[in-house]
Amino acid sequence: MSWQSYVDDHLMCEIDGQHLTAAAILGQDGSVWAQSAAFPQFKTEEIAAIVKDFDEPGSLAPTGLFLGGAKYMVIQGEPGAVIRGKKGSGGVCVKKTNQALVMGVYEEPMTPGQCNMVVERLGDFLYEQGL
């Protein structure tokens, strides 16, 4: 299965009638493995800061998580495994695997829990596959 089909079929899928706004699978070096058309144009330093927070949990909390220039307030995640951010009526979820970052961006009416479930389920699967 191609990385793009993981994004299209597993991240951008319908959950209770809702969809993520955007999604991507990135290498931990910031390289794009696959992404949806609406995924924000991010800066390398934004991804580097996210990766750093996985190694040093809490490092993003004072400044916020930035993605494509948008600032998300960091909310409870799982240190070293999941980072969650909130911005207005939407947010972002980032799941770290052995080699990648699985990212989902959502807006209402999708709920944070629905976003987390979609992103973390694929991230857990990839982690179990050694990816």
Side-chain angles (χ1 to χ4, degrees), residues 4-128:
Q4 191 62 50
S5 61
Y6 278 112
V7 170
D8 296 341
D9 301 339
H10 297 280
L11 292 175
M12 297 303 291
C13 64
E14 184 176 310
I15 295 285
D16 299 329
Q18 307 305 321
H19 295 85
L20 290 173
T21 307
I25 301 173
L26 307 178
Q28 291 182 20
D29 61 357
S31 61
V32 177
W33 292 9
Q35 65 183 16
S36 66
F39 195 76
Q41 184 66 45
F42 60 86
K43 297 181 179 85
T44 307
E45 56 267 21
E46 293 173 336
I47 302 305
I50 292 168
V51 170
K52 179 183 177 192
D53 193 81
F54 283 116
D55 296 332
E56 302 171 27
S59 66
L60 280 179
T63 59
L65 180 157
F66 285 85
L67 186 62
K71 181 179 179 179
Y72 294 85
M73 179 178 65
V74 178
I75 56 176
Q76 181 185 2
E78 296 169 33
V82 178
I83 299 170
R84 298 182 185 117
K86 185 88 173 119
K87 177 179 167 280
S89 62
V92 63
C93 178
V94 184
K95 170 73 177 180
K96 181 183 176 200
T97 71
N98 296 308
Q99 301 172 25
L101 302 174
V102 180
M103 307 177 80
V105 179
Y106 70 93
E107 290 291 337
E108 283 186 343
M110 183 173 240
T111 66
Q114 289 170 323
C115 174
N116 298 344
M117 184 175 69
V118 169
V119 171
E120 293 173 34
R121 184 170 39 190
L122 180 59
D124 288 341
F125 171 77
L126 295 176
Y127 184 85
E128 289 164 9

